[in-house]
Amino acid sequence: MKRLALSLFILFLPFIVLNWLFAVAEFDFGKTNRISQFRAMPEGIVLANTGSSHGQFSFNYTDFAPLRTFNFGLPAQSLLYDRNLLRQFAPRFAPGSVVLVPVSYFEVSAIVEEHLLESYRARYFRLLDRANIDRCDNLATYVKYRYLPSLMAKHPFRTIVQNLRPENVLPEEGGGVPQFSDKTAAEQYENLAFTKKTFDNNFRESGAEGAAYNKALLRNITALCLSHGITPVLVTTPLTTMYNDLYEAAGFFPAFEQFKADVLAANPGTAWLDYSHDAAFTEDYALFFDGDHMNDEGAAAMTRRILSDLRERRILD
């Protein structure tokens, strides 16, 4: 019997090691799926934010200890998973706390494409209960992907090697020190063109259907927060003038303003702080590392600003 057990252990050891290495590479070091920061989530959170990379890189609470804070932002995170993360971790918030809910331009009338949801789904098996993972009705699927994450990857060995390369490791805090202002005009336009193409590939413009879908999710989020004694504050993070010009040319902003008005009408008492065109940020490209993401300096400035605004409005003590 002992010999059989040893034989089985030796047989499965390579697979166990593969899954351990994959989990470390993908969830501790990976650029897109790193979630190791969730292990340090405090109890009694007073201020937090959700969001995609716009939330992830716009807020840096390092200088505001001992205020209990947490950044739930992750690359390409949708409003759907903003809601699901809050549903899972709302008990970690203190009474009277505040959560900032970033709403990006692509979350107005577009719906996230299925392939994007699927490509980022693996990280949520490590964070969430089965009830909070979209389309996970099968317990066996949940157990498999939570404890054997390499099964979600087409090429697990390639993922391990790529994610552990020094140049591919995400900085510990924020967007690092690169400045969009250091790029030439041609490089800036190239960056913006790439960003727009990425959004077009990953978010399906859906008109009224998309707007209704996103409004419903925001309504879910605000109701969830209020039911736990958390004050939700909707936020649109700072963006460069060049980035805004792309959307201006596409005639986007009348629809954006109408969307904001509809959301606020459906959620009485909820504030929406829109910094997308704030002159203190939009013209200062040294605060961004690309056209729509703040670097460490920008995140520090944005965090100071929003804390001041929250206190001025008596939303946060």
Side-chain angles (χ1 to χ4, degrees), residues 264-300:
L264 292 174
N267 299 275
T270 298
W272 189 322
L273 305 182
D274 185 356
Y275 300 93
S276 61
H277 289 73
D278 192 305
F281 302 107
T282 58
E283 297 289 347
D284 190 351
Y285 289 10
L287 299 177
F288 297 82
F289 70 84
D290 65 12
D292 60 317
H293 294 96
M294 309 200 87
N295 57 28
D296 284 350
E297 183 182 353

mmCIF file of all heavy atoms in Angstrom, residues 264-300:
data_model
loop_
_atom_site.group_PDB
_atom_site.id
_atom_site.type_symbol
_atom_site.label_atom_id
_atom_site.label_comp_id
_atom_site.label_asym_id
_atom_site.label_seq_id
_atom_site.Cartn_x
_atom_site.Cartn_y
_atom_site.Cartn_z
ATOM 1 N N LEU A 264 -27.420 58.804 -12.871
ATOM 2 C CA LEU A 264 -27.638 59.596 -11.657
ATOM 3 C C LEU A 264 -29.122 59.702 -11.322
ATOM 4 O O LEU A 264 -29.506 59.681 -10.148
ATOM 5 C CB LEU A 264 -27.014 60.980 -11.807
ATOM 6 C CG LEU A 264 -25.474 60.987 -11.870
ATOM 7 C CD1 LEU A 264 -24.955 62.389 -12.167
ATOM 8 C CD2 LEU A 264 -24.877 60.456 -10.575
ATOM 9 N N ALA A 265 -29.966 59.792 -12.352
ATOM 10 C CA ALA A 265 -31.411 59.843 -12.112
ATOM 11 C C ALA A 265 -31.923 58.530 -11.522
ATOM 12 O O ALA A 265 -32.832 58.516 -10.689
ATOM 13 C CB ALA A 265 -32.143 60.157 -13.410
ATOM 14 N N ALA A 266 -31.298 57.419 -11.940
ATOM 15 C CA ALA A 266 -31.721 56.104 -11.449
ATOM 16 C C ALA A 266 -31.122 55.757 -10.097
ATOM 17 O O ALA A 266 -31.548 54.783 -9.468
ATOM 18 C CB ALA A 266 -31.340 55.033 -12.475
ATOM 19 N N ASN A 267 -30.133 56.546 -9.679
ATOM 20 C CA ASN A 267 -29.445 56.287 -8.406
ATOM 21 C C ASN A 267 -29.388 57.573 -7.593
ATOM 22 O O ASN A 267 -28.316 58.179 -7.436
ATOM 23 C CB ASN A 267 -28.032 55.753 -8.672
ATOM 24 C CG ASN A 267 -28.024 54.447 -9.430
ATOM 25 O OD1 ASN A 267 -28.134 53.377 -8.850
ATOM 26 N ND2 ASN A 267 -27.904 54.538 -10.755
ATOM 27 N N PRO A 268 -30.526 58.037 -7.077
ATOM 28 C CA PRO A 268 -30.571 59.319 -6.362
ATOM 29 C C PRO A 268 -29.583 59.358 -5.198
ATOM 30 O O PRO A 268 -29.440 58.386 -4.453
ATOM 31 C CB PRO A 268 -32.022 59.375 -5.846
ATOM 32 C CG PRO A 268 -32.784 58.427 -6.718
ATOM 33 C CD PRO A 268 -31.832 57.354 -7.094
ATOM 34 N N GLY A 269 -28.912 60.473 -5.079
ATOM 35 C CA GLY A 269 -27.969 60.651 -3.989
ATOM 36 C C GLY A 269 -26.575 60.145 -4.281
ATOM 37 O O GLY A 269 -25.643 60.366 -3.484
ATOM 38 N N THR A 270 -26.386 59.454 -5.406
ATOM 39 C CA THR A 270 -25.063 58.950 -5.766
ATOM 40 C C THR A 270 -24.290 60.024 -6.520
ATOM 41 O O THR A 270 -24.827 60.653 -7.441
ATOM 42 C CB THR A 270 -25.174 57.680 -6.637
ATOM 43 O OG1 THR A 270 -25.837 56.663 -5.896
ATOM 44 C CG2 THR A 270 -23.806 57.182 -7.068
ATOM 45 N N ALA A 271 -23.039 60.234 -6.151
ATOM 46 C CA ALA A 271 -22.190 61.231 -6.817
ATOM 47 C C ALA A 271 -21.422 60.580 -7.959
ATOM 48 O O ALA A 271 -21.057 59.406 -7.895
ATOM 49 C CB ALA A 271 -21.217 61.844 -5.814
ATOM 50 N N TRP A 272 -21.176 61.364 -8.993
ATOM 51 C CA TRP A 272 -20.302 60.958 -10.102
ATOM 52 C C TRP A 272 -19.251 62.052 -10.246
ATOM 53 O O TRP A 272 -19.553 63.175 -10.633
ATOM 54 C CB TRP A 272 -21.090 60.791 -11.391
ATOM 55 C CG TRP A 272 -20.307 60.182 -12.526
ATOM 56 C CD1 TRP A 272 -18.999 60.391 -12.863
ATOM 57 C CD2 TRP A 272 -20.801 59.247 -13.491
ATOM 58 N NE1 TRP A 272 -18.628 59.651 -13.945
ATOM 59 C CE2 TRP A 272 -19.731 58.928 -14.365
ATOM 60 C CE3 TRP A 272 -22.050 58.648 -13.698
ATOM 61 C CZ2 TRP A 272 -19.873 58.047 -15.434
ATOM 62 C CZ3 TRP A 272 -22.182 57.770 -14.767
ATOM 63 C CH2 TRP A 272 -21.106 57.472 -15.622
ATOM 64 N N LEU A 273 -18.010 61.745 -9.930
ATOM 65 C CA LEU A 273 -16.907 62.691 -10.044
ATOM 66 C C LEU A 273 -16.182 62.423 -11.359
ATOM 67 O O LEU A 273 -15.539 61.380 -11.521
ATOM 68 C CB LEU A 273 -15.953 62.546 -8.857
ATOM 69 C CG LEU A 273 -16.589 62.682 -7.465
ATOM 70 C CD1 LEU A 273 -15.516 62.556 -6.379
ATOM 71 C CD2 LEU A 273 -17.336 63.996 -7.328
ATOM 72 N N ASP A 274 -16.306 63.353 -12.278
ATOM 73 C CA ASP A 274 -15.758 63.172 -13.626
ATOM 74 C C ASP A 274 -14.488 64.020 -13.782
ATOM 75 O O ASP A 274 -14.550 65.245 -13.854
ATOM 76 C CB ASP A 274 -16.810 63.573 -14.665
ATOM 77 C CG ASP A 274 -16.354 63.303 -16.094
ATOM 78 O OD1 ASP A 274 -15.191 62.874 -16.286
ATOM 79 O OD2 ASP A 274 -17.161 63.537 -17.013
ATOM 80 N N TYR A 275 -13.342 63.337 -13.848
ATOM 81 C CA TYR A 275 -12.049 64.011 -14.007
ATOM 82 C C TYR A 275 -11.504 63.859 -15.425
ATOM 83 O O TYR A 275 -10.345 64.190 -15.677
ATOM 84 C CB TYR A 275 -11.038 63.442 -13.017
ATOM 85 C CG TYR A 275 -11.436 63.607 -11.569
ATOM 86 C CD1 TYR A 275 -12.138 62.604 -10.898
ATOM 87 C CD2 TYR A 275 -11.125 64.765 -10.860
ATOM 88 C CE1 TYR A 275 -12.514 62.746 -9.571
ATOM 89 C CE2 TYR A 275 -11.496 64.925 -9.531
ATOM 90 C CZ TYR A 275 -12.185 63.910 -8.901
ATOM 91 O OH TYR A 275 -12.560 64.054 -7.583
ATOM 92 N N SER A 276 -12.329 63.346 -16.332
ATOM 93 C CA SER A 276 -11.829 63.016 -17.671
ATOM 94 C C SER A 276 -11.290 64.230 -18.421
ATOM 95 O O SER A 276 -10.375 64.102 -19.243
ATOM 96 C CB SER A 276 -12.942 62.348 -18.497
ATOM 97 O OG SER A 276 -14.054 63.225 -18.653
ATOM 98 N N HIS A 277 -11.855 65.412 -18.146
ATOM 99 C CA HIS A 277 -11.413 66.630 -18.819
ATOM 100 C C HIS A 277 -10.827 67.654 -17.841
ATOM 101 O O HIS A 277 -10.719 68.831 -18.168
ATOM 102 C CB HIS A 277 -12.585 67.272 -19.575
ATOM 103 C CG HIS A 277 -13.012 66.510 -20.795
ATOM 104 N ND1 HIS A 277 -13.700 65.319 -20.733
ATOM 105 C CD2 HIS A 277 -12.841 66.785 -22.115
ATOM 106 C CE1 HIS A 277 -13.953 64.896 -21.963
ATOM 107 N NE2 HIS A 277 -13.435 65.752 -22.815
ATOM 108 N N ASP A 278 -10.456 67.197 -16.667
ATOM 109 C CA ASP A 278 -9.950 68.112 -15.646
ATOM 110 C C ASP A 278 -8.590 68.670 -16.085
ATOM 111 O O ASP A 278 -7.623 67.925 -16.262
ATOM 112 C CB ASP A 278 -9.820 67.372 -14.318
ATOM 113 C CG ASP A 278 -9.585 68.302 -13.145
ATOM 114 O OD1 ASP A 278 -8.625 69.096 -13.210
ATOM 115 O OD2 ASP A 278 -10.352 68.238 -12.169
ATOM 116 N N ALA A 279 -8.525 69.980 -16.217
ATOM 117 C CA ALA A 279 -7.320 70.620 -16.740
ATOM 118 C C ALA A 279 -6.094 70.407 -15.863
ATOM 119 O O ALA A 279 -4.957 70.522 -16.340
ATOM 120 C CB ALA A 279 -7.566 72.119 -16.923
ATOM 121 N N ALA A 280 -6.301 70.091 -14.593
ATOM 122 C CA ALA A 280 -5.162 69.835 -13.718
ATOM 123 C C ALA A 280 -4.409 68.569 -14.121
ATOM 124 O O ALA A 280 -3.253 68.385 -13.734
ATOM 125 C CB ALA A 280 -5.633 69.706 -12.270
ATOM 126 N N PHE A 281 -5.067 67.706 -14.903
ATOM 127 C CA PHE A 281 -4.449 66.449 -15.308
ATOM 128 C C PHE A 281 -4.283 66.314 -16.820
ATOM 129 O O PHE A 281 -3.246 65.860 -17.297
ATOM 130 C CB PHE A 281 -5.296 65.266 -14.803
ATOM 131 C CG PHE A 281 -5.483 65.235 -13.319
ATOM 132 C CD1 PHE A 281 -6.707 65.555 -12.742
ATOM 133 C CD2 PHE A 281 -4.446 64.873 -12.480
ATOM 134 C CE1 PHE A 281 -6.888 65.517 -11.369
ATOM 135 C CE2 PHE A 281 -4.608 64.829 -11.101
ATOM 136 C CZ PHE A 281 -5.840 65.156 -10.541
ATOM 137 N N THR A 282 -5.304 66.675 -17.563
ATOM 138 C CA THR A 282 -5.369 66.281 -18.976
ATOM 139 C C THR A 282 -4.236 66.829 -19.836
ATOM 140 O O THR A 282 -3.826 66.200 -20.812
ATOM 141 C CB THR A 282 -6.713 66.712 -19.594
ATOM 142 O OG1 THR A 282 -6.859 68.131 -19.441
ATOM 143 C CG2 THR A 282 -7.869 66.007 -18.930
ATOM 144 N N GLU A 283 -3.738 68.008 -19.489
ATOM 145 C CA GLU A 283 -2.674 68.620 -20.286
ATOM 146 C C GLU A 283 -1.280 68.250 -19.796
ATOM 147 O O GLU A 283 -0.282 68.534 -20.462
ATOM 148 C CB GLU A 283 -2.821 70.148 -20.268
ATOM 149 C CG GLU A 283 -4.105 70.675 -20.904
ATOM 150 C CD GLU A 283 -4.105 70.529 -22.423
ATOM 151 O OE1 GLU A 283 -3.036 70.256 -22.993
ATOM 152 O OE2 GLU A 283 -5.179 70.685 -23.026
ATOM 153 N N ASP A 284 -1.192 67.637 -18.624
ATOM 154 C CA ASP A 284 0.109 67.308 -18.050
ATOM 155 C C ASP A 284 0.453 65.852 -18.350
ATOM 156 O O ASP A 284 0.187 64.950 -17.559
ATOM 157 C CB ASP A 284 0.096 67.560 -16.534
ATOM 158 C CG ASP A 284 1.484 67.475 -15.916
ATOM 159 O OD1 ASP A 284 2.434 67.057 -16.629
ATOM 160 O OD2 ASP A 284 1.626 67.825 -14.734
ATOM 161 N N TYR A 285 1.075 65.630 -19.495
ATOM 162 C CA TYR A 285 1.339 64.263 -19.943
ATOM 163 C C TYR A 285 2.417 63.579 -19.103
ATOM 164 O O TYR A 285 2.604 62.360 -19.216
ATOM 165 C CB TYR A 285 1.738 64.263 -21.415
ATOM 166 C CG TYR A 285 0.598 64.571 -22.367
ATOM 167 C CD1 TYR A 285 -0.637 65.018 -21.897
ATOM 168 C CD2 TYR A 285 0.751 64.413 -23.742
ATOM 169 C CE1 TYR A 285 -1.675 65.301 -22.759
ATOM 170 C CE2 TYR A 285 -0.283 64.692 -24.618
ATOM 171 C CZ TYR A 285 -1.497 65.139 -24.123
ATOM 172 O OH TYR A 285 -2.528 65.420 -24.984
ATOM 173 N N ALA A 286 3.099 64.322 -18.262
ATOM 174 C CA ALA A 286 4.082 63.724 -17.356
ATOM 175 C C ALA A 286 3.400 62.908 -16.261
ATOM 176 O O ALA A 286 4.057 62.139 -15.556
ATOM 177 C CB ALA A 286 4.951 64.803 -16.723
ATOM 178 N N LEU A 287 2.076 63.044 -16.119
ATOM 179 C CA LEU A 287 1.323 62.300 -15.113
ATOM 180 C C LEU A 287 0.776 60.974 -15.645
ATOM 181 O O LEU A 287 0.137 60.226 -14.903
ATOM 182 C CB LEU A 287 0.158 63.147 -14.590
ATOM 183 C CG LEU A 287 0.523 64.465 -13.908
ATOM 184 C CD1 LEU A 287 -0.735 65.228 -13.510
ATOM 185 C CD2 LEU A 287 1.412 64.217 -12.683
ATOM 186 N N PHE A 288 1.040 60.674 -16.913
ATOM 187 C CA PHE A 288 0.514 59.469 -17.563
ATOM 188 C C PHE A 288 1.664 58.637 -18.124
ATOM 189 O O PHE A 288 2.694 59.182 -18.503
ATOM 190 C CB PHE A 288 -0.428 59.847 -18.717
ATOM 191 C CG PHE A 288 -1.656 60.590 -18.296
ATOM 192 C CD1 PHE A 288 -1.619 61.962 -18.074
ATOM 193 C CD2 PHE A 288 -2.861 59.931 -18.119
ATOM 194 C CE1 PHE A 288 -2.754 62.661 -17.690
ATOM 195 C CE2 PHE A 288 -4.008 60.615 -17.725
ATOM 196 C CZ PHE A 288 -3.950 61.983 -17.510
ATOM 197 N N PHE A 289 1.450 57.320 -18.191
ATOM 198 C CA PHE A 289 2.447 56.506 -18.882
ATOM 199 C C PHE A 289 1.988 56.128 -20.284
ATOM 200 O O PHE A 289 2.770 55.651 -21.102
ATOM 201 C CB PHE A 289 2.868 55.271 -18.071
ATOM 202 C CG PHE A 289 1.832 54.177 -17.924
ATOM 203 C CD1 PHE A 289 1.652 53.225 -18.902
ATOM 204 C CD2 PHE A 289 1.080 54.070 -16.761
ATOM 205 C CE1 PHE A 289 0.737 52.193 -18.754
ATOM 206 C CE2 PHE A 289 0.165 53.036 -16.586
ATOM 207 C CZ PHE A 289 -0.011 52.101 -17.592
ATOM 208 N N ASP A 290 0.719 56.330 -20.583
ATOM 209 C CA ASP A 290 0.235 56.293 -21.967
ATOM 210 C C ASP A 290 -0.960 57.228 -22.045
ATOM 211 O O ASP A 290 -1.186 58.036 -21.141
ATOM 212 C CB ASP A 290 -0.068 54.856 -22.429
ATOM 213 C CG ASP A 290 -1.222 54.194 -21.673
ATOM 214 O OD1 ASP A 290 -1.952 54.895 -20.945
ATOM 215 O OD2 ASP A 290 -1.382 52.960 -21.808
ATOM 216 N N GLY A 291 -1.741 57.146 -23.109
ATOM 217 C CA GLY A 291 -2.778 58.146 -23.313
ATOM 218 C C GLY A 291 -3.915 58.132 -22.313
ATOM 219 O O GLY A 291 -4.621 59.138 -22.168
ATOM 220 N N ASP A 292 -4.106 57.019 -21.614
ATOM 221 C CA ASP A 292 -5.258 56.934 -20.708
ATOM 222 C C ASP A 292 -4.957 56.275 -19.368
ATOM 223 O O ASP A 292 -5.890 55.958 -18.614
ATOM 224 C CB ASP A 292 -6.420 56.201 -21.393
ATOM 225 C CG ASP A 292 -6.077 54.779 -21.806
ATOM 226 O OD1 ASP A 292 -4.980 54.553 -22.341
ATOM 227 O OD2 ASP A 292 -6.917 53.874 -21.603
ATOM 228 N N HIS A 293 -3.674 56.077 -19.035
ATOM 229 C CA HIS A 293 -3.318 55.480 -17.747
ATOM 230 C C HIS A 293 -2.300 56.349 -17.020
ATOM 231 O O HIS A 293 -1.294 56.754 -17.604
ATOM 232 C CB HIS A 293 -2.722 54.078 -17.931
ATOM 233 C CG HIS A 293 -3.688 53.081 -18.466
ATOM 234 N ND1 HIS A 293 -3.762 52.771 -19.810
ATOM 235 C CD2 HIS A 293 -4.641 52.327 -17.848
ATOM 236 C CE1 HIS A 293 -4.704 51.854 -19.989
ATOM 237 N NE2 HIS A 293 -5.254 51.583 -18.813
ATOM 238 N N MET A 294 -2.559 56.588 -15.755
ATOM 239 C CA MET A 294 -1.672 57.421 -14.959
ATOM 240 C C MET A 294 -0.462 56.625 -14.477
ATOM 241 O O MET A 294 -0.562 55.431 -14.211
ATOM 242 C CB MET A 294 -2.425 57.998 -13.760
ATOM 243 C CG MET A 294 -3.728 58.683 -14.151
ATOM 244 S SD MET A 294 -4.339 59.831 -12.899
ATOM 245 C CE MET A 294 -3.469 61.329 -13.389
ATOM 246 N N ASN A 295 0.678 57.316 -14.381
ATOM 247 C CA ASN A 295 1.854 56.692 -13.785
ATOM 248 C C ASN A 295 1.830 56.915 -12.270
ATOM 249 O O ASN A 295 0.847 57.430 -11.726
ATOM 250 C CB ASN A 295 3.139 57.210 -14.439
ATOM 251 C CG ASN A 295 3.275 58.730 -14.340
ATOM 252 O OD1 ASN A 295 2.759 59.362 -13.414
ATOM 253 N ND2 ASN A 295 3.969 59.322 -15.298
ATOM 254 N N ASP A 296 2.899 56.548 -11.585
ATOM 255 C CA ASP A 296 2.901 56.670 -10.118
ATOM 256 C C ASP A 296 2.694 58.107 -9.657
ATOM 257 O O ASP A 296 1.956 58.363 -8.694
ATOM 258 C CB ASP A 296 4.229 56.154 -9.555
ATOM 259 C CG ASP A 296 4.296 54.633 -9.548
ATOM 260 O OD1 ASP A 296 3.265 54.004 -9.798
ATOM 261 O OD2 ASP A 296 5.388 54.091 -9.289
ATOM 262 N N GLU A 297 3.347 59.043 -10.336
ATOM 263 C CA GLU A 297 3.194 60.454 -9.964
ATOM 264 C C GLU A 297 1.757 60.911 -10.165
ATOM 265 O O GLU A 297 1.173 61.612 -9.329
ATOM 266 C CB GLU A 297 4.150 61.313 -10.784
ATOM 267 C CG GLU A 297 4.130 62.792 -10.426
ATOM 268 C CD GLU A 297 5.058 63.635 -11.280
ATOM 269 O OE1 GLU A 297 5.835 63.057 -12.069
ATOM 270 O OE2 GLU A 297 4.995 64.879 -11.174
ATOM 271 N N GLY A 298 1.175 60.501 -11.292
ATOM 272 C CA GLY A 298 -0.209 60.869 -11.568
ATOM 273 C C GLY A 298 -1.182 60.242 -10.592
ATOM 274 O O GLY A 298 -2.134 60.891 -10.135
ATOM 275 N N ALA A 299 -0.951 58.969 -10.246
ATOM 276 C CA ALA A 299 -1.834 58.289 -9.304
ATOM 277 C C ALA A 299 -1.787 58.953 -7.933
ATOM 278 O O ALA A 299 -2.819 59.099 -7.265
ATOM 279 C CB ALA A 299 -1.443 56.822 -9.196
ATOM 280 N N ALA A 300 -0.593 59.368 -7.514
ATOM 281 C CA ALA A 300 -0.473 60.049 -6.223
ATOM 282 C C ALA A 300 -1.236 61.367 -6.242
ATOM 283 O O ALA A 300 -1.953 61.707 -5.286
ATOM 284 C CB ALA A 300 1.002 60.283 -5.891
#
